[in-house]
Amino acid sequence: MENPGFERSKDDPPQYEELSFSENGFNNGETRATRPSVTSAFGHNTLDRVPNVDFYRNADSISGHRAVRPSLQELHDIFQKNGVHNVPNPLEDKGEAKGSTLDDVESVMSLEEKEAGGAVKFGWIKGVLVRCILNIWGVMLFIRLSWVFGQAGIGLGIVVVILSVVVTTITCLSMSAICTNGVVRGGGAYYLISRSLGPEFGGSIGLIFAFANAVAVAMYVVGFAETVVELLKENDALMVDTVNDTRIIGCITAVLLMGITVAGMEWEAKAQVALLVILLVAIGNVFVGTVIPSTEDKRSKGFFNYQESIAKENFLPDFRDGETFFSVFAIFFPAATGILAGANISGDLKDPQAALPKGTLLAIFITGITYLGIALIVSVTVVRDATGNRNDTIVPGSSCNFSSACDLGYDFSICQTTKCNYGLMNNFQVMNLVSGFGPLITAGTFSATLSSALASLVSAPKVFQALCKDNIYTALKFFAKGHGKNKEPIRGYVLTFFIAVAFILIAELNTIAPIISNFFLASYALINFSCFHASYAKSPGWRPAYKYYNMWLSLFGAVLCCAVMFVINWWAALLTYGIELFLYIYVTVKKPDVNWGSSTQAVTFINAVNNALTLSGVDEHIKNFRPKCLVMTGSPRSRPALLDLAHSFTKNYGLCLTCEVFVGPRDNNLQDMNAAVQQNQQWLHKQKRKAFYTPVASENLQKGAEALMQASGLGRMKPNTVMLGFKCDWKTAKPQEVQSYVGILHDAFDFEHGSVILRISQGMDISHILRAEEEMERMLLEQQALEMEESDFQPQGGKGFFNKSKKSSKKEMTSKVSLDVPQTSDLAKMNQRLVEASSQFKRKQGKGTIDVWWLFDDGGLTLLLPHILTTRKKWKDCKLRIFIAGQPERIEQDKEEMQELLKKFRIKCADIKVIADINVKPSAER
């Protein structure tokens, strides 16, 4: 019947008559409110409507209203069962879901974020543009930019600036692509890298990047302190000396900045805006000062307004004091590292996906033009060397040292033999000389250095806090706690403060700057590589809204960053990568329990598929034969000895499938099978057994095993060896069970599989012990809950040294509960022996022999398996002993033939014994 509530068109699917759950008594009288136009494929009303964010929300999410809808299993049950089936009302949330289909849903708002309703959020101008500009216009702008162009000249100086801008621009494009691919939380570069490449790369670079920002605080503060010391020096007001005054002023400044930061983000943002205004005025003052005619004092110090001769003279490089292009670049590059200032507070932005690309790129453009503009006007107005002595004048036109200063009436030739105090190469306060009003430049220097220091002081703890919240390094969990409505990382601020003070005590800007250059370059390299890797993986989840990026450009940016690291300082680059590799290995070994859908997982999947296809296209060679075991363990926990022996064969190099056959109809066992997959795979992972768990439902054990042999594996990754336990009850078992067990061996031979049967005299199945332990644990929890309820009714008496509340230990309560479990001492001893026997292959095997009975040539599998055992650490003290059947007159000949065969297989053997009478029982020695 056509649905009257739906307007028909040619392209619409056919509509069907809707059925209601209430007609069959499924809904307990409740009527669902469903649009007439919505009908499920099963003919029933469900919540399977057009895409809606609520339908894709994490089932465990505590954010927002969550609707409950029937599962496919429930819908299947409706058709399979004629009884009453209760389907939850979709419009009501009747409690938390038991499980979640997604391990990590970044789009779901966390509880902390929901509680922080009054948190301050910034737009793209104040949150990104202003912060990036202030962080890039740092200490280098007024203190080192003139020195950089004095050393490198105008030509190479422009290359230094452009190279820095190229690196940061490519990195910004990659960052924009990553941050527009999903919701961006707090953590800046750490968050972007970890969610893209995974916790291994993210955890390692997170620590390095946070440390680099902490050291950057010291660099900016030392730059500020140098300016103050210069002022004190001009007025003969030094407290101790130049170096120690820099340390004292730097430490005092760090304390004041710490106070502003701890006061909160609102105060920090207001301070940033005020500093930006001062900085803009100071920059304008530089441009104005270059057109004001220079005074006699300024000319003696090397400033002559715009002169073509000065531009020509300063165009070529003049590296001094052992400096090179790359050493100069290393000192300048930290000036360009402020591009992540906005990303570092991504958690405090209103719309980080829109704000970060727009604000960061605009900041790079503005600051790049500013650096080039100021550098050029200074380079064409100030000579490299000047004495500052007004009497060093000459008659215009006379010849002296052929410098531009001579043509302008000054003789600074003494600077070639004696170090002068003025000029681009000697005076770090050239901007004061050039400007129209010197104190404004001092204020601008203070503004540039303090704003950058303040931004870094905020960035480092924010990144560090995000890293600690993810619990990548468990020892750092202490620093994850936040305070206030913005969850400020107060503990991180304190740690950053102490790191900054430690580097402030170095009191040398040119020493501190190269230290952080490598750390920032390593961070930028990984951001670019993250973008390339995500694009290369072609994951369906890689859908960045920002389209102005290119995966090969990102790869070029990553390679460029790495190359620049090595040419700046090769040993510092190696040290940086060494630290990163150590942290990467640490996180890899610890295996944090996180799943962020990284591109590393996507590439791993692609490589696995490609490798499987490659193997399928090549015939397997006998030299590469490995036992790929199909282990009939049932639940792996119930027969650990069989799993441990199989692990000794496969370990980390072979395929191991643990299999369980659920006897009975598939529909009846489907729920148990689904639960068993997750439970047993987690148990295998916890036991560090590199194996897979595979369940199957069948009418009997043999057919289930046959289905596993036939369908398990992929391509060449298919089992070739069947392992099962010895059937100890074959005398008392039903004939059908024995026939099914023997049928498994026949099927293995039919599929040309090797067969391994493990027999332990005590038995292998410990499932009844596991059930008893689970029951005991349940009783223990019930007793603990009962004791807690009883303690709530106890009167609160005085508390003293002898009057403390007694808490029963878990061991004591376990012993109490165990008394209630009825079991005889003989049964307990049997269970104890069974548990010990089941764990024997986990322990190191003592000195002994591995007996091999060579009945016929099976291609070497009978010798290969024991040989593999002897290569394992737990079995290395065991030697092979081979028994072969033979005739009395051929004993020596048979031995020689066997020795030749072992030599062919390159297998060492302790002893070869020929059994002339096959009926003789073998030795009991193992």
Side-chain angles (χ1 to χ4, degrees):
M1 186 178 80
E2 286 283 330
N3 191 333
F6 190 81
E7 185 176 353
R8 187 92 176 138
S9 69
K10 291 187 297 183
D11 298 329
D12 293 328
Q15 302 297 316
Y16 302 96
E17 182 179 1
E18 295 185 356
L19 301 177
S20 174
F21 284 116
S22 59
E23 293 178 7
N24 296 324
F26 293 146
N27 208 25
N28 295 334
E30 296 183 8
T31 303
R32 291 173 179 261
T34 309
R35 296 200 311 270
S37 61
V38 179
T39 306
S40 80
F42 295 95
H44 292 279
N45 298 337
T46 71
L47 289 187
D48 298 312
R49 305 180 178 179
V50 293
N52 186 303
V53 67
D54 293 329
F55 301 162
Y56 296 91
R57 194 177 298 281
N58 187 349
D60 288 335
S61 172
I62 56 176
S63 60
H65 184 76
R66 179 166 47 83
V68 178
R69 53 196 182 278
S71 66
L72 288 176
Q73 182 63 38
E74 292 172 338
L75 294 174
H76 287 165
D77 291 341
I78 291 174
F79 291 99
Q80 294 169 359
K81 299 178 183 178
N82 295 323
V84 177
H85 187 86
N86 293 327
V87 178
N89 192 331
L91 303 180
E92 295 181 3
D93 188 353
K94 296 184 179 181
E96 293 299 324
K98 297 293 182 184
S100 169
T101 57
L102 298 176
D103 292 333
D104 183 81
V105 180
E106 299 294 343
S107 61
V108 178
M109 184 184 296
S110 66
L111 180 61
E112 285 188 0
E113 290 173 321
K114 193 176 180 183
E115 289 176 348
V120 179
K121 296 292 184 179
F122 302 106
W124 74 275
I125 295 179
K126 187 182 291 187
V128 182
L129 180 64
V130 172
R131 287 179 181 277
C132 289
I133 286 178
L134 285 174
N135 216 8
I136 298 174
W137 281 344
V139 64
M140 298 298 166
L141 182 62
F142 293 114
I143 298 180
R144 289 294 187 274
L145 186 60
S146 58
W147 177 85
V148 168
F149 271 69
Q151 291 275 358
I154 297 175
L156 289 182
I158 293 174
V159 174
V160 168
V161 176
I162 290 179
L163 181 58
S164 301
V165 171
V166 167
V167 171
T168 54
T169 301
I170 295 175
T171 304
C172 181
L173 294 176
S174 301
M175 179 198 71
S176 301
I178 296 173
C179 70
T180 58
N181 190 55
V183 175
V184 179
R185 304 276 183 222
Y190 159 71
Y191 186 91
L192 299 178
I193 295 172
S194 62
R195 267 52 176 185
S196 179
L197 289 179
E200 297 85 4
F201 281 106
S204 58
I205 208 62
L207 275 182
I208 290 176
F209 189 71
F211 179 76
N213 275 279
V215 179
V217 176
M219 183 185 73
Y220 297 127
V221 169
V222 167
F224 167 79
E226 280 188 3
T227 306
V228 176
V229 169
E230 286 292 329
L231 293 175
L232 295 176
K233 192 174 180 181
E234 290 176 3
N235 295 279
D236 294 328
L238 289 177
M239 293 176 283
V240 184
D241 55 50
T242 304
V243 175
N244 286 307
D245 281 12
T246 302
R247 292 169 178 162
I248 294 170
I249 296 171
C251 292
I252 295 173
T253 305
V255 173
L256 296 176
L257 291 175
M258 181 72 177
I260 296 174
T261 306
V262 173
M265 292 290 291
E266 294 180 59
W267 285 97
E268 189 262 346
K270 292 176 181 178
Q272 294 275 23
V273 173
L275 292 172
L276 178 62
V277 173
I278 297 173
L279 194 53
L280 289 173
V281 173
I283 291 173
N285 183 42
V286 174
F287 285 93
V288 172
T290 57
V291 297
I292 298 176
S294 60
T295 63
E296 185 179 351
D297 180 64
K298 287 187 175 182
R299 287 196 296 271
S300 68
K301 293 179 180 178
F303 174 64
F304 295 97
N305 295 111
Y306 293 99
Q307 301 292 334
E308 183 181 355
S309 59
I310 295 178
K312 291 180 178 178
E313 182 180 71
N314 290 342
F315 185 82
L316 297 177
D318 184 15
F319 295 111
R320 302 178 188 175
D321 302 325
E323 300 291 347
T324 64
F325 171 81
F326 292 107
S327 66
V328 171
F329 176 80
I331 293 173
F332 173 79
F333 185 76
T337 56
I339 63 169
L340 295 179
N344 289 338
I345 62 162
S346 53
D348 298 309
L349 299 176
K350 293 178 182 177
D351 186 6
Q353 289 185 327
L356 288 174
K358 181 166 52 177
T360 308
L361 280 172
L362 186 57
I364 292 174
F365 176 77
I366 293 174
T367 53
I369 294 297
T370 306
Y371 270 112
L372 283 175
I374 292 180
L376 288 175
I377 64 172
V378 170
S379 300
V380 299
T381 57
V382 182
V383 296
R384 280 193 168 103
D385 298 290
T387 60
N389 189 349
R390 299 181 184 180
N391 297 323
D392 289 340
T393 59
I394 61 173
V395 178
S398 61
S399 177
C400 54
N401 62 351
F402 302 103
S403 69
S404 58
C406 289
D407 299 333
L408 298 171
Y410 282 84
D411 182 9
F412 297 142
S413 57
I414 192 174
C415 295
Q416 295 181 354
T417 56
T418 305
K419 184 173 177 58
C420 296
N421 295 323
Y422 297 96
L424 295 178
M425 303 290 284
N426 310 303
N427 184 14
F428 292 146
Q429 304 298 326
V430 168
M431 298 299 177
N432 278 325
L433 181 68
V434 175
S435 65
F437 184 61
L440 275 180
I441 297 301
T442 303
T445 305
F446 290 169
S447 174
T449 53
L450 293 179
S451 63
S452 299
L454 198 58
S456 297
L457 190 57
V458 171
S459 299
K462 290 282 186 181
V463 174
F464 191 57
Q465 183 187 36
L467 173 67
C468 297
K469 277 184 177 180
D470 289 334
N471 204 23
I472 302 297
Y473 302 100
T474 53
L476 303 177
K477 186 68 175 176
F478 172 79
F479 295 97
K481 184 176 177 57
H483 300 270
K485 60 185 180 181
N486 268 38
K487 300 298 177 183
E488 295 294 332
I490 303 298
R491 298 172 179 177
Y493 288 141
V494 175
L495 178 63
T496 304
F497 170 78
F498 283 110
I499 294 175
V501 168
F503 280 87
I504 287 172
L505 296 179
I506 297 176
E508 181 57 49
L509 186 63
N510 286 12
T511 303
I512 300 174
I515 294 176
I516 62 175
S517 289
N518 274 290
F519 288 159
F520 278 117
L521 281 166
S523 304
Y524 293 170
L526 275 183
I527 290 176
N528 286 301
F529 184 73
S530 298
C531 182
F532 164 77
H533 202 261
S535 302
Y536 174 77
K538 299 188 185 303
S539 172
W542 175 247
R543 301 186 299 274
Y546 188 81
K547 301 299 182 183
Y548 303 104
Y549 77 96
N550 182 275
M551 61 180 290
W552 300 112
L553 184 63
S554 297
L555 179 61
F556 171 74
V559 174
L560 180 62
C561 290
C562 295
V564 171
M565 286 179 65
F566 279 96
V567 295
I568 286 176
N569 192 324
W570 65 269
W571 63 264
L574 289 177
L575 179 62
T576 302
Y577 281 115
I579 296 172
E580 186 178 333
L581 180 62
F582 170 77
L583 296 173
Y584 177 89
I585 294 174
Y586 176 84
V587 177
T588 303
V589 171
K590 290 296 182 181
K591 292 183 175 62
D593 187 18
V594 295
N595 182 13
W596 293 323
S598 64
S599 60
T600 304
Q601 295 173 346
V603 172
T604 301
F605 175 80
I606 292 173
N607 292 337
V609 174
N610 290 335
N611 290 337
L613 291 172
T614 302
L615 282 175
S616 299
V618 179
D619 292 336
E620 192 169 11
H621 197 277
I622 188 62
K623 290 191 291 185
N624 294 324
F625 178 87
R626 296 180 186 275
K628 292 172 281 190
C629 298
L630 184 73
V631 192
M632 306 298 296
T633 57
S635 175
R637 296 185 299 170
S638 14
R639 293 175 180 81
L642 195 58
L643 176 62
D644 293 336
L645 183 61
H647 179 70
S648 297
F649 291 141
T650 60
K651 205 173 181 181
N652 302 330
Y653 313 107
L655 178 66
C656 182
L657 297 176
T658 60
C659 305
E660 183 173 10
V661 178
F662 289 82
V663 178
R666 176 179 175 274
D667 295 336
N668 294 345
N669 292 305
L670 186 60
Q671 188 173 358
D672 293 337
M673 289 169 61
N674 291 336
V677 169
Q678 182 177 6
Q679 181 182 10
N680 287 298
Q681 196 63 53
Q682 288 179 351
W683 183 84
L684 289 170
H685 179 72
K686 186 177 180 181
Q687 296 296 317
K688 298 181 179 179
R689 292 291 182 259
K690 294 192 176 182
F692 301 95
Y693 172 77
T694 305
V696 67
S698 182
E699 58 184 74
N700 59 48
L701 182 64
Q702 180 184 357
K703 290 190 175 181
E706 181 185 359
L708 289 168
M709 294 180 208
Q710 190 172 6
S712 295
L714 181 67
R716 294 289 181 191
M717 301 298 291
K718 284 182 174 294
N720 56 22
T721 306
V722 177
M723 291 188 62
L724 64 165
F726 182 78
K727 189 169 182 60
C728 299
D729 61 344
W730 60 274
K731 289 184 179 180
T732 58
K734 296 179 181 179
Q736 296 87 348
E737 294 179 0
V738 177
Q739 184 179 1
S740 178
Y741 179 84
V742 175
I744 295 176
L745 299 177
H746 284 292
D747 291 337
F749 297 148
D750 291 339
F751 284 108
E752 297 183 349
H753 287 0
S755 299
V756 177
I757 301 176
L758 174 62
R759 181 182 183 184
I760 299 178
S761 58
Q762 293 87 353
M764 287 185 293
D765 191 355
I766 61 170
S767 56
H768 62 286
I769 300 177
L770 295 176
R771 287 194 295 269
E773 289 179 353
E774 291 174 357
E775 180 66 18
M776 185 180 298
E777 185 177 355
R778 184 186 64 79
M779 295 172 64
L780 176 62
L781 293 175
E782 291 179 356
Q783 182 177 353
Q784 288 178 337
L786 182 62
E787 290 181 357
M788 291 177 64
E789 290 178 1
E790 292 177 352
S791 63
D792 292 339
F793 294 98
Q794 295 294 331
Q796 299 293 330
K799 293 183 179 179
F801 185 78
F802 296 102
N803 192 19
K804 294 181 179 179
S805 59
K806 295 182 178 180
K807 295 183 180 180
S808 301
S809 65
K810 185 174 181 180
K811 185 176 180 180
E812 292 174 351
M813 286 188 283
T814 304
S815 61
K816 292 178 183 178
V817 175
S818 63
L819 294 176
D820 300 331
V821 180
Q823 60 176 338
T824 63
S825 59
D826 292 339
L827 180 59
K829 291 178 181 179
M830 289 176 58
N831 288 339
Q832 182 65 27
R833 288 196 298 269
L834 177 58
V835 171
E836 292 178 356
S838 297
S839 61
Q840 62 179 304
F841 298 125
K842 293 181 180 178
R843 301 186 295 268
K844 181 178 175 59
Q845 306 298 310
K847 291 184 178 181
T849 58
I850 301 175
D851 290 345
V852 178
W853 286 80
W854 182 266
L855 301 180
F856 61 89
D857 188 355
D858 62 350
L861 181 64
T862 309
L863 290 175
L864 178 63
L865 294 182
H867 167 71
I868 291 176
L869 284 181
T870 58
T871 62
R872 308 307 187 204
K873 187 180 297 184
K874 294 177 182 177
W875 295 79
K876 67 178 183 178
D877 293 334
C878 299
K879 305 297 182 183
L880 291 186
R881 183 172 58 179
I882 299 177
F883 293 88
I884 58 176
Q887 299 176 2
E889 64 274 8
R890 286 176 49 88
I891 291 179
E892 294 302 325
Q893 185 178 352
D894 289 341
K895 275 189 177 183
E896 292 179 2
E897 291 178 356
M898 194 64 197
Q899 287 172 352
E900 288 296 325
L901 183 63
L902 293 177
K903 185 178 180 181
K904 175 183 177 182
F905 288 152
R906 297 178 301 280
I907 294 177
K908 295 181 180 179
C909 178
D911 191 13
I912 298 176
K913 292 187 178 294
V914 179
I915 306 301
D917 188 353
I918 198 63
N919 294 322
V920 177
K921 293 183 178 180
S923 171
E925 182 184 359
R926 293 189 59 199

